[in-house]
Amino acid sequence: GAGVSQTPSNKVTEKGKYVELRCDPISGHTALYWYRQSLGQGPEFLIYFQGTGAADDSGLPNDRFFAVRPEGSVSTLKIQRTERGDSAVYLCASSLTGQNTGELFFGEGSRLTVL
Amino acid sequence: QKEVEQNSGPLSVPEGAIASLNCTYSDRGSQSFFWYRQYSGKSPELIMFIYSNGDKEDGRFTAQLNKASQYVSLLIRDSQPSDSATYLCAAHSGAGNMLTFGGGTRLMVKP
């Protein structure tokens, strides 16, 4: 497809488990962003990749969260020892150059529920 | 801490009326601002952006920016029930297209 693809669309896990969320950006988009959105809230920035490197990871809440983008395309957000407070929709977005055009193309999100 | 603030609503307007959505931001260094629309259960999509003080019109939408007051607004003329959604205000806040989002205002347009 032409849009940002995220898998899984829904993930239910138990407290303490490890979770991986995958994002496949629009082809050719060099910039990739992860945001987290809790119910009734706006998206909260987590991490930004320009190419393969994390240009800014200041939004990652703690060291249980980690993200990679080894080949500059697909990215994986990894959450260790999940907690109930991690439950949210994790949104991935990409943009063409990483410059300030303002248009982020969002995927449909991965809804994570930690029981 | 950079913040973008919005009234959560819901803002209810009758069909055909003007909907006015407001947003304030704390970082005077922010230079550009964006309005995204998010339908329930869907991902945000960009409606408009504005960089300069004043008004910017695009069809039924007008964005307004006042940097001195750190205030951004979105006007929707001739509101339609299909405009019912959550409207997210965002400020450019760092490298690349990193945006800081407000909490969103839920708009309900009643037929």
Side-chain angles (χ1 to χ4, degrees):
Chain A
V4 177
S5 177
Q6 291 189 247
T7 55
S9 56
N10 278 286
K11 176 71 176 179
V12 180
T13 191
E14 294 179 342
K15 180 176 179 294
K17 298 291 189 182
Y18 170 80
V19 166
E20 287 190 353
L21 307 175
R22 175 189 167 104
C23 173
D24 197 345
I26 293 172
S27 178
H29 280 196
T30 58
L32 185 146
Y33 308 79
W34 284 99
Y35 282 82
R36 175 170 72 174
Q37 188 172 26
S38 300
L39 190 63
Q41 304 295 316
E44 172 194 16
F45 170 75
L46 296 177
I47 186 169
Y48 155 52
F49 287 91
Q50 181 60 39
T52 60
D56 190 324
D57 64 357
S58 62
L60 294 177
N62 52 60
D63 61 5
R64 295 187 297 105
F65 289 74
F66 189 70
V68 296
R69 194 185 186 201
E71 298 178 359
S73 179
V74 171
S75 176
T76 304
L77 179 65
K78 307 180 180 190
I79 310 174
Q80 298 178 319
R81 304 183 304 280
T82 52
E83 300 178 356
R84 291 191 180 89
D86 299 335
S87 296
V89 175
Y90 289 81
L91 293 167
C92 177
S94 68
S95 66
L96 186 57
T97 63
Q99 299 306 311
N100 182 22
T101 64
E103 186 159 21
L104 300 181
F105 294 86
F106 283 90
E108 291 296 317
S110 292
R111 181 178 298 277
L112 175 66
T113 303
V114 182
L115 301 177
Chain B
Q1 184 176 357
K2 301 171 184 175
E3 294 184 345
V4 175
E5 300 287 342
Q6 297 180 255
N7 188 319
S8 62
L11 173 66
S12 182
V13 300
E15 184 174 358
I18 296 175
S20 178
L21 304 161
N22 305 313
C23 168
T24 59
Y25 61 95
S26 64
D27 181 12
R28 285 199 172 272
S30 293
Q31 294 296 314
S32 48
F33 304 88
F34 308 89
W35 284 99
Y36 279 75
R37 178 177 60 201
Q38 186 173 28
Y39 291 112
S40 181
K42 298 296 185 181
S43 57
E45 56 181 340
L46 182 67
I47 300 175
M48 289 191 70
F49 60 88
I50 186 166
Y51 300 155
S52 303
N53 275 327
D55 295 0
K56 179 181 178 183
E57 186 174 320
D58 183 1
R60 295 187 296 113
F61 298 94
T62 298
Q64 300 175 317
L65 173 60
N66 183 324
K67 291 186 179 180
S69 301
Q70 297 177 243
Y71 180 88
V72 192
S73 65
L74 179 70
L75 302 178
I76 307 174
R77 289 181 299 281
D78 187 24
S79 296
Q80 301 297 308
S82 59
D83 294 327
S84 298
T86 295
Y87 289 80
L88 299 163
C89 174
H92 181 247
S93 58
N97 280 334
M98 248 174 60
L99 303 181
T100 297
F101 285 87
T105 298
R106 184 175 163 218
L107 173 65
M108 298 172 58
V109 180
K110 298 193 172 181

